[in-house]
Amino acid sequence: MQYSPFMLTLPAALLLSLTPHAHAAGYYTSDVGVRAFSRGGAYVAGANDLLAMWYNPAALTRVKDGLLTVDVAGVSQWSRFDRADYPGEGPPDGDGNPTDLINPAVENQSGAFLIPHIGAAWDFGLPDTSFAVGFYPPYAPDVSYPADGPQRYSLTDSLVIQTFTGVSAAHRFWDRLSVGVGASWNVLVVEQELKVNIPFDTENPTAVEDPKYDVAFGVRGEDRGALAWNLGLLYEPPSNRWAVGLMMQAPTRFEAKGHMRADFSDNFFRTDENLGVIDADTARDNNISFAVTMPLILKAGVLVRPIDNLEIELAGVWEGWSVIQEIVVTDVNMTVPVDKENPLGAALGLEDIQITDDIVLPAGYRDAWSLRLGGEWWPDDAWAVRAGMFYEISAVPETSMGVGLMDGNKAGYGLGGTWQAHKRIGLDLGMMQTFVPKQTLENSELRSIMLNWQTGEMIDGRPIGDGTIQGRNLMIGGGVNYAFGKHPERTVKLGHAPKG
């Protein structure tokens, strides 16, 4: 069988898009829930609602009788990337002379992504034990850039969704030490789109980025059956003047299955009358597989209450993102149909191509940590006010950073509060803002994906990460806490720490 060799490497180029967009220290933000992000994420020793399932399940012992929590937050990311320019290295003009490749700045075009949390806790009349069930996704924004922008070889659209649906239980020993454990059923969905360039000029292929040679690629993978667990400790003496909390989230392995697709409808090798050797607008593989392991997460917090109506917490978080060094894609089986009667196809004796090789994709994440300082003050029984701030290092090295891996060192703050509208009802409102300062990226190891259509070689094009990049995340949310038991006075004051 004879064929045009470039088609063999198309799936490899496509699958490079599987490295998901980074939103915080890794694939998602470290902080979830209105009360928690209002305190800057300092909520390991101070959790007093259903968010304890995420931050420290041992703190569920503070929830007495019954409590229902519903949170909804809008998560948005503003990011701006101004890619470096390349004078004299752009697509040729009508006379065949190279033009200047001047790259305009691009910004994320997606709006806020709504993420719900819902759960309930109940003590079943037991004095020192609480149980909880909940649905609590980590936060990650939607991301979309111009399909024809200068960043298109890195990313045009991205969405990463991860959810936890699980149960937790906690018991308090000796009136001071609480132990909690949780188990969850998890879902991961990854969607990515980018473009690959197949230039006709094989003598100098990296010197042009002509859109007519672009091919749009997309990947979607999901796992709807991964299992996870976490463990928490809370030490709080009867005086309630201080507390120490610890939490471990075990690594979670996702075995995702999905599809990949290539869109040739606007590509030169599909549209040209004489050289259009590709015989379909799209090629698709409906059964790819890949594995992703979410990291081990450790959290610790120390809380003090210098006076009865004020608590302050210092917390730290460590996330082992270095577990993701590569992604291996298996079960590849893509058919690229070719036009055997096309002049070029006939001359080369083309036949449809079957691609089945596994593909190894580098990721290169590194471990990350953060520090968080926050607390809350309740001036009376009807109100609580929260505030906090944090600093977090990036999980992505600068040489690997770009719009597809937008994650620099960052700082942020949170604000919020609770209104006790009724003895059974507390209303939460909060926000958190995160800033990734403007930074200049040089010596990028990220390069555009180009294919030599004559030899089949995958070519490293120009760097696609060089330039300036900056961003900020915004989370705004509200929540309702409802004490549904027979004795709402036994439920911890919504927005208040338990008193001794």
Side-chain angles (χ1 to χ4, degrees):
M1 180 178 66
Q2 298 182 16
Y3 48 84
S4 179
F6 85 91
M7 296 179 184
L8 286 176
T9 53
L10 286 176
L14 166 57
L15 292 168
L16 286 172
S17 70
L18 272 174
T19 302
H21 185 87
H23 306 293
Y27 291 174
Y28 48 72
T29 64
S30 302
D31 302 297
V32 303
V34 175
R35 289 191 185 183
F37 64 62
S38 297
R39 291 169 51 140
Y43 208 56
V44 183
N48 62 9
D49 65 355
L50 266 295
L51 293 175
M53 295 181 72
W54 174 263
Y55 284 91
N56 185 357
L60 287 169
T61 56
R62 291 180 173 146
V63 181
K64 302 301 182 182
D65 209 18
L67 180 66
L68 172 68
T69 297
V70 178
D71 270 3
V72 177
V75 183
S76 63
Q77 181 186 81
W78 174 85
S79 53
R80 186 177 191 272
F81 176 58
D82 191 354
R83 188 181 169 200
D85 298 326
Y86 296 91
E89 298 184 27
D93 59 21
D95 297 325
N97 300 314
T99 61
D100 294 335
L101 184 61
I102 306 300
N103 294 310
V106 293
E107 297 181 359
N108 179 19
Q109 300 175 330
S110 295
F113 190 54
L114 294 180
I115 301 177
H117 283 233
I118 184 169
W122 183 255
D123 65 5
F124 289 97
L126 301 174
D128 297 308
T129 304
S130 293
F131 302 89
V133 58
F135 171 80
Y136 46 107
Y139 288 176
D142 196 4
V143 179
S144 178
Y145 289 94
D148 58 352
Q151 88 305 320
R152 64 189 184 275
Y153 300 122
S154 177
L155 183 74
T156 58
D157 193 75
S158 173
L159 180 64
V160 179
I161 299 174
Q162 184 183 352
T163 66
F164 290 68
T165 304
V167 296
S168 298
H171 182 76
R172 188 175 178 92
F173 299 89
W174 312 299
D175 202 26
R176 25 184 102 234
L177 177 66
S178 296
V179 178
V181 63
S184 62
W185 162 62
N186 303 322
V187 172
L188 176 70
V189 178
V190 178
E191 295 183 1
Q192 299 277 279
E193 294 181 4
L194 55 69
K195 290 191 175 180
V196 171
N197 196 264
I198 311 174
F200 189 73
D201 181 4
T202 59
E203 294 296 325
N204 196 15
T206 63
V208 294
E209 292 183 7
D210 195 329
K212 73 179 182 181
Y213 299 120
D214 287 351
V215 177
F217 286 93
V219 173
R220 176 186 171 91
E222 60 183 60
D223 182 352
R224 297 183 177 272
L227 301 178
W229 62 274
N230 64 0
L231 176 67
L233 300 174
L234 178 68
Y235 185 87
E236 186 173 30
S239 68
N240 297 120
R241 286 301 183 187
W242 58 276
V244 176
L246 301 171
M247 194 281 290
M248 180 192 73
Q249 173 71 51
T252 306
R253 183 173 176 82
F254 291 93
E255 301 282 352
K257 293 186 178 298
H259 67 261
M260 63 181 181
R261 65 189 183 278
D263 185 351
F264 299 97
S265 58
D266 295 323
N267 182 265
F268 172 83
F269 289 99
R270 169 65 175 156
T271 61
D272 187 86
E273 181 178 352
N274 295 315
L275 301 179
V277 295
I278 297 177
D279 198 28
D281 286 342
T282 61
R284 186 179 175 98
D285 182 350
N286 289 318
N287 192 33
I288 63 169
S289 303
F290 60 92
V292 177
T293 299
M294 294 301 178
L296 170 70
I297 299 175
L298 303 176
K299 297 181 180 181
V302 177
L303 177 147
V304 295
R305 301 186 182 101
I307 55 178
D308 286 345
N309 62 344
L310 174 68
E311 70 178 31
I312 301 169
E313 180 174 349
L314 176 65
V317 180
W318 179 88
E319 299 173 317
W321 287 105
S322 63
V323 70
I324 305 178
Q325 292 298 309
E326 64 181 23
I327 299 173
V328 180
V329 181
T330 60
D331 300 324
V332 177
N333 186 13
M334 174 179 270
T335 299
V336 180
V338 298
D339 185 355
K340 305 172 184 62
E341 297 180 0
N342 176 273
L344 180 60
L348 294 176
L350 297 184
E351 295 184 14
D352 293 346
I353 308 303
Q354 301 290 329
I355 302 95
T356 59
D357 290 342
D358 291 350
I359 299 169
V360 179
L361 312 174
Y365 273 37
R366 63 189 181 190
D367 297 338
W369 57 265
S370 63
L371 290 176
R372 296 154 189 282
L373 178 65
E376 58 188 77
W377 171 60
W378 41 97
D380 55 43
D381 286 342
W383 296 94
V385 179
R386 300 182 184 87
M389 57 185 178
F390 71 93
Y391 177 78
E392 184 174 71
I393 70 166
S394 171
V396 182
E398 285 191 7
T399 55
S400 301
M401 198 178 303
V403 296
L405 293 171
M406 168 61 180
D407 182 41
N409 295 344
K410 62 194 74 67
Y413 69 93
L415 297 170
T418 293
W419 173 41
Q420 191 77 28
H422 183 270
K423 66 178 181 179
R424 290 184 180 273
I425 300 174
L427 303 178
D428 296 330
L429 186 66
M431 61 89 67
M432 173 186 269
Q433 196 165 25
T434 304
F435 300 91
V436 178
K438 183 177 181 179
Q439 55 187 316
T440 299
L441 304 177
E442 298 177 331
N443 303 316
S444 174
E445 296 178 1
L446 300 176
R447 293 182 175 271
S448 61
I449 304 169
M450 292 187 170
L451 303 177
N452 186 316
W453 70 275
Q454 290 183 325
T455 67
E457 296 176 347
M458 184 177 294
I459 306 164
D460 285 337
R462 292 194 191 89
I464 53 178
D466 286 348
T468 61
I469 197 166
Q470 60 184 315
R472 60 177 179 267
N473 282 4
L474 177 63
M475 298 185 289
I476 299 177
V480 178
N481 294 279
Y482 176 70
F484 61 83
K486 295 181 179 180
H487 307 284
E489 69 278 0
R490 293 179 59 216
T491 302
V492 63
K493 276 288 188 180
L494 303 179
H496 293 224
K499 302 298 191 293

